[in-house]
């Protein structure tokens, strides 16, 4: 809801269409589709299969946000979270350029990303249950000492089905850049930053 509010309040044009780059399994699209005609793009065919089940009215395209060419422009482009998987300035530059290329004049590009200026290494624990299933997730965020522009988000999942316990782990490598770097990249393509 906050992302939709920010998009509508900052656009110089009426926002009817939205391009969601790095849409994943469609969790944000569940809300986006209430306000906009959504086109989602993701590199993972598996994630898009999940997204289509939850949001059958959304158009989904299997492609890379760094290279996509839709020959169409949108009132808004959103990249909430997934741009963090860009671990080089070159990839961020490509992504921002593609987003700008698909954006109507006066429209809004929404990017949600951590910056190294505010990011702290940390640990989180989440838990929840439904019926006979209990899930606990441990998350550890660690800035690599060998490359301060990258951090790892490592996860341990404890999943209980009644008395049976399953344990899974996962590790994501994400980019971490200064706010000044982000602002320079956005201005480089001609975007007005707010």
């Amino acid at each position: 809801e906050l992302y939709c509010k920010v998009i509508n309040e900052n656009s110089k044009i009426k926002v009817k269409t939205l391009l969601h780059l790095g849409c994943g399994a469609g969790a944000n699209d569940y809300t986006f589709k209430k306000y906009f005609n959504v086109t989602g793009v993701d590199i993972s065919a598996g994630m898009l299969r999940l997204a289509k089940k939850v949001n059958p009215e959304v158009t989904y395209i299997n492609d890379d946000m760094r290279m996509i060419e839709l020959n169409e422009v949108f009132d808004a482009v959103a990249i909430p979270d997934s741009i963090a998987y860009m671990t080089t300035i070159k990839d961020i530059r490509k992504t921002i350029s593609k987003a700008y290329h698909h954006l109507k004049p006066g429209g809004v590009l929404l990017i949600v990303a951590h910056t190294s200026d505010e990011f702290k290494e940390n640990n989180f624990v989440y838990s929840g249950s439904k019926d006979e299933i209990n899930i606990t997730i441990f998350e550890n965020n660690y800035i690599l000492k060998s490359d301060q522009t990258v951090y790892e988000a490592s996860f341990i999942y404890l999943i209980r089905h009644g008395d049976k316990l399953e344990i899974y782990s996962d590790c994501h490598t994400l980019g971490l850049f200064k706010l000044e770097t982000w602002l320079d990249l956005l201005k480089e393509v001609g975007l007005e930053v707010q």
Side-chain angles (χ1 to χ4, degrees):
E1 293 289 334
L2 175 62
Y3 297 159
C4 295
K5 182 177 186 240
V6 168
I7 288 167
N8 281 319
E9 287 179 353
N10 289 283
S11 183
K12 295 177 181 171
I13 61 175
K14 174 83 173 140
V15 181
K16 296 177 184 173
T17 61
L18 178 127
L19 175 62
H20 182 188
L21 297 175
C23 64
N28 285 316
D29 295 335
Y30 187 78
T31 301
F32 286 156
K33 70 185 181 185
K34 295 178 191 176
Y35 300 91
F36 315 116
N37 181 359
V38 180
T39 299
V41 175
D42 202 272
I43 199 167
S44 169
M47 292 290 247
L48 290 176
R49 278 191 295 278
L50 295 171
K52 287 175 187 177
K53 286 180 185 176
V54 176
N55 306 299
E57 60 276 81
V58 172
T59 300
Y60 286 111
I61 299 166
N62 186 206
D63 209 332
D64 186 328
M65 67 178 147
R66 295 168 291 187
M67 298 180 280
I68 187 142
E69 274 300 332
L70 295 177
N71 297 316
E72 183 178 357
V73 289
F74 298 82
D75 302 322
V77 177
I79 317 174
D81 311 318
S82 59
I83 200 162
Y85 288 95
M86 303 296 113
T87 58
T88 67
I89 298 293
K90 181 180 174 185
D91 282 340
I92 294 172
R93 182 177 280 119
K94 284 180 185 179
T95 302
I96 290 172
S97 178
K98 286 299 177 183
Y100 182 71
H101 175 76
H102 289 92
L103 185 63
K104 284 183 185 173
V108 171
L109 168 59
L110 172 74
I111 292 177
V112 179
H114 291 294
T115 64
S116 59
D117 313 76
E118 51 82 27
F119 189 82
K120 304 270 189 279
E121 291 180 339
N122 48 42
N123 298 294
F124 300 101
V125 176
Y126 317 93
S127 62
S129 60
K130 184 175 181 181
D131 301 324
E132 291 285 317
I133 301 173
N134 296 295
I135 300 175
T136 301
I137 304 170
F138 298 93
E139 177 182 349
N140 171 258
N141 293 311
Y142 176 80
I143 300 170
L144 297 183
K145 302 305 179 227
S146 59
D147 183 355
Q148 298 283 301
T149 65
V150 175
Y151 77 98
E152 289 180 346
S154 302
F155 302 88
I156 304 289
Y157 302 87
L158 305 177
I159 303 172
R160 292 190 180 274
H161 300 267
D163 290 335
K164 183 181 177 209
L165 173 65
E166 296 176 52
I167 301 173
Y168 299 93
S169 65
D170 196 11
C171 187
H172 299 244
T173 302
L174 303 134
L176 191 61
F177 301 95
K178 292 183 177 293
L179 176 60
E180 182 181 346
T181 302
W182 282 101
L183 296 175
D184 289 345
L185 290 167
L186 292 165
K187 290 174 185 172
E188 199 175 274
V189 296
L191 287 163
E192 176 186 317
V193 179
Q194 293 185 11

